[in-house]
Amino acid sequence: MSEIFLPPVEQLINVDLFTALQESDVGQFGPDYTNLERYKQAGEYALEAQMYAQMAEDYGNQTVQKVQQIIENAGDAGTLLTLSLPTGASKVGTENGKTVQDYLDSTNRRVLKTAFSLTEQSLNTLNYISLGLPVGSYVQTLDNDSTYEVLDEMSTEFDILGTSGLKLNIIPKKGVWDIRAWPVAGDGVTNDTILIQKAIDKILKVGGGTLRFSGNKVYLYDQLEISRGKTPNNNFEMNFIIEGDGSARLKHTGVTGSGSNASIWVHGNLGSGSTSAVYVKNFTLRDLLITGNVAVATKGVLLQRTTFIKMERVTITDFGNNGLHLLDSYDSTFVAVEVMASGIPTGALTGNYGLLLSGSYDQSNANHFFGCRVEMCPLILAITSGCRHNYFHNCKFEQGRPNPSTSNPVYIKEATEVAFQGCQFVQNADSNVRYMVITPDLFPYWVTYGTEKLIQFSDCSFVCGRDYTAYWLDINYSSFNNCEFSSCPGEITS
């Protein structure tokens, strides 16, 4: 193959690829013109690129013109729209003398931008007259960038109802609802339960979506119920996400509703039937801090008859009952979940575990925990009722507070095929109660079907830094592979 000579770009500019070739071109195309087709193809690509560049420039100019037209229609850029509430005003006015009507887009009747802030106070005064908006118009706020549709006064379904009779619907952004679109206070003092529950019910009713808690606020609530019965047609698929932005906090009052003593209760149908008939799937909770009142014996989060649950970067702290309880829940994933200072109410001598896996209708099976922590709980972890195939990867279980009860901080009974890999078990409080007990009890169902009971520990460490007057570990049907044990006044039995 002959060598291809590519001349500088400035020489190519003067080459005519589509008419008669000149003698001066021979050096560029080769003495036998073997590179001619390559140059022709390059020229065609260049012409096509030039065409697309021109189209892009045209579209860019059109966009600039449209934006300029919007600004001109709205008046001065500094006075796009300021929604205020002058006493007795029939229409809300602006600094340049225009009314809200003047700012409605003629195509979709959307108000471009407003300083409208939806609060409990504004709901007491806003009405159709003071807004000056026709039904079907949209109001978009500046404070949290939420958008509302103005509904007819006779509408029977609406998201927000003011005492003045104003009815609004919240318009999500790509399936995401911001909790601030409802007039929640988020001040850690005002009880926002009703509005938060309305937001949850709304999203479940429309078939799913995301509810976001944001704004560095503290949302006070009693009990939040997320159930299959609130979905359209009692769906098996929930497709619902509750998420924070890293700054928001949910604060429980200590008050719970009927049916459960949990602050957040996620559940399927509580009757009998097949898995697809009674369970609910696909719920995610992430990036939130959930705090309770450790003096009150309420649970933090209860997952009951659920599957395909995801919890990511969630901290549950200061609950006087289980911080996190899986009851008949399976095939779920927990990543970087922290359960702190929960389980036993202040001053009580008995209580519950920070993390509990149990069964009643069925069992809690095939759940995976990655990088989770259960700390500062007198009673740390319990797995009971025949729960099986639960796996813990690089988790930490530390008893950092004294245990006033006679229960064992880590307790596994009737569970089978549970594995701990790369986990750390720490005892940092004096006690005369065994730290870990794995009983020889076998769940009747597994006895019938011959399932082997085995609890596995691989690459785990056991650290005991306090005095004991009883055995530290009392274990049965367990195996240890490459584990490390610190010295302890107690003993290990098996």
Side-chain angles (χ1 to χ4, degrees):
M1 181 180 293
S2 59
E3 182 179 358
I4 298 175
F5 170 68
L6 297 177
V9 176
E10 57 269 16
Q11 294 185 26
L12 289 175
I13 295 176
N14 298 319
V15 175
D16 187 348
L17 299 177
F18 304 103
T19 57
L21 299 173
Q22 306 296 320
E23 289 296 330
S24 61
D25 299 327
V26 172
Q28 301 177 50
F29 298 125
D32 55 355
Y33 299 109
T34 55
N35 293 329
L36 177 60
E37 291 302 320
R38 296 174 183 268
Y39 277 81
K40 281 188 175 182
Q41 188 176 40
E44 292 170 354
Y45 286 157
L47 290 174
E48 187 175 0
Q50 183 182 26
M51 176 185 69
Y52 284 122
Q54 184 61 51
M55 291 173 61
E57 182 179 359
D58 292 342
Y59 285 136
N61 290 333
Q62 292 177 24
T63 301
V64 171
Q65 293 174 3
K66 288 182 178 180
V67 171
Q68 186 60 40
Q69 186 63 46
I70 290 174
I71 294 175
E72 292 177 357
N73 291 343
D76 296 335
T79 59
L80 274 179
L81 181 63
T82 302
L83 261 179
S84 56
L85 300 170
T87 304
S90 60
K91 288 186 178 181
V92 179
T94 62
E95 295 179 359
N96 59 4
K98 293 186 177 181
T99 67
V100 176
Q101 297 280 3
D102 298 318
Y103 293 95
L104 289 176
D105 184 292
S106 59
T107 302
N108 58 20
R109 307 169 83 187
R110 181 184 298 276
V111 175
L112 300 178
K113 274 292 184 182
T114 79
F116 169 62
S117 177
L118 192 66
T119 64
E120 193 68 36
Q121 181 178 4
S122 66
L123 283 177
N124 294 334
T125 54
L126 286 175
N127 55 59
Y128 293 88
I129 296 177
S130 65
L131 275 176
L133 296 174
V135 171
S137 298
Y138 292 81
V139 180
Q140 190 176 52
T141 64
L142 285 176
D143 54 354
N144 58 47
D145 204 26
S146 298
T147 303
Y148 306 87
E149 178 186 9
V150 180
L151 302 180
D152 186 271
E153 296 178 72
M154 303 304 293
S155 297
T156 57
E157 293 190 3
F158 44 83
D159 294 334
I160 295 175
L161 173 65
T163 57
S164 60
L166 176 68
K167 296 177 180 179
L168 301 173
N169 257 357
I170 298 170
I171 308 300
K173 294 184 177 180
K174 297 181 179 179
V176 178
W177 281 262
D178 192 316
I179 190 61
R180 295 175 300 172
W182 282 264
V184 292
D187 56 9
V189 177
T190 306
N191 194 321
D192 289 322
T193 303
I194 295 177
L195 292 173
I196 296 175
Q197 188 64 58
K198 285 184 66 175
I200 291 172
D201 294 351
K202 163 75 176 186
I203 298 173
L204 290 176
K205 184 177 181 180
V206 299
T210 299
L211 178 61
R212 179 172 296 154
F213 288 82
S214 56
N216 194 27
K217 293 180 176 293
V218 178
Y219 300 92
L220 192 67
Y221 70 100
D222 295 334
Q223 182 185 65
L224 303 177
E225 184 178 2
I226 304 160
S227 67
R228 174 171 176 160
K230 297 177 181 292
T231 63
N233 304 314
N234 196 27
N235 289 348
F236 181 33
E237 300 269 353
M238 183 174 285
N239 299 322
F240 183 31
I241 298 173
I242 293 181
E243 66 179 15
D245 63 354
S247 66
R249 176 159 65 102
L250 294 177
K251 181 180 179 182
H252 187 237
T253 62
V255 177
T256 58
S258 60
S260 165
N261 67 334
S263 79
I264 298 178
W265 185 23
V266 186
H267 65 90
N269 295 329
L270 302 183
S272 61
S274 65
T275 296
S276 60
V278 300
Y279 277 69
V280 69
K281 67 183 294 187
N282 290 344
F283 169 68
T284 299
L285 185 66
R286 64 191 180 202
D287 299 312
L288 272 172
L289 170 61
I290 304 170
T291 63
N293 182 349
V294 74
V296 182
T298 56
K299 299 181 180 183
V301 177
L302 171 60
L303 304 176
Q304 184 175 8
R305 299 192 183 184
T306 60
T307 183
F308 287 86
I309 302 296
K310 290 183 180 179
M311 287 184 64
E312 302 169 340
R313 300 173 300 278
V314 174
T315 297
I316 305 168
T317 184
D318 293 305
F319 283 90
N321 203 316
N322 309 123
L324 173 60
H325 183 187
L326 277 64
L327 176 59
D328 301 321
S329 294
Y330 68 94
D331 284 346
S332 295
T333 304
F334 303 83
V335 179
V337 174
E338 298 179 333
V339 178
M340 312 291 287
S342 298
I344 298 182
T346 304
L349 299 180
T350 60
N352 292 281
Y353 288 81
L355 174 58
L356 172 62
L357 281 67
S358 68
S360 176
Y361 180 76
D362 192 4
Q363 301 93 31
S364 292
N365 304 325
N367 299 292
H368 286 258
F369 297 80
F370 298 90
C372 297
R373 299 166 56 203
V374 185
E375 296 189 29
M376 300 301 293
C377 299
L379 300 177
I380 308 169
L381 168 67
I383 307 175
T384 66
S385 311
C387 296
R388 63 188 175 94
H389 292 166
N390 291 291
Y391 302 94
F392 299 84
H393 312 264
N394 300 105
C395 297
K396 183 180 181 182
F397 305 95
E398 179 175 355
Q399 181 194 7
R401 293 171 58 189
N403 175 18
S405 74
T406 58
S407 300
N408 308 101
V410 178
Y411 185 65
I412 301 177
K413 178 183 179 182
E414 296 183 342
T416 185
E417 297 170 348
V418 179
F420 298 89
Q421 182 177 30
C423 295
Q424 187 177 35
F425 298 86
V426 181
Q427 171 61 40
N428 274 335
D430 293 336
S431 176
N432 61 357
V433 178
R434 291 178 179 86
Y435 173 78
M436 176 185 292
V437 170
I438 301 175
T439 74
D441 303 292
L442 294 174
F443 193 62
Y445 180 88
W446 305 132
V447 173
T448 302
Y449 290 91
T451 303
E452 181 180 5
K453 176 181 175 67
L454 182 64
I455 312 300
Q456 296 178 331
F457 297 87
S458 302
D459 301 305
C460 295
S461 62
F462 296 78
V463 181
C464 176
R466 296 289 180 172
D467 292 334
Y468 269 72
T469 59
Y471 299 124
W472 191 32
L473 307 179
D474 187 350
I475 54 179
N476 298 268
Y477 298 106
S478 301
S479 69
F480 294 84
N481 180 36
N482 197 33
C483 295
E484 296 182 352
F485 297 86
S486 72
S487 60
C488 180
E491 300 178 15
I492 299 175
T493 65
S494 61

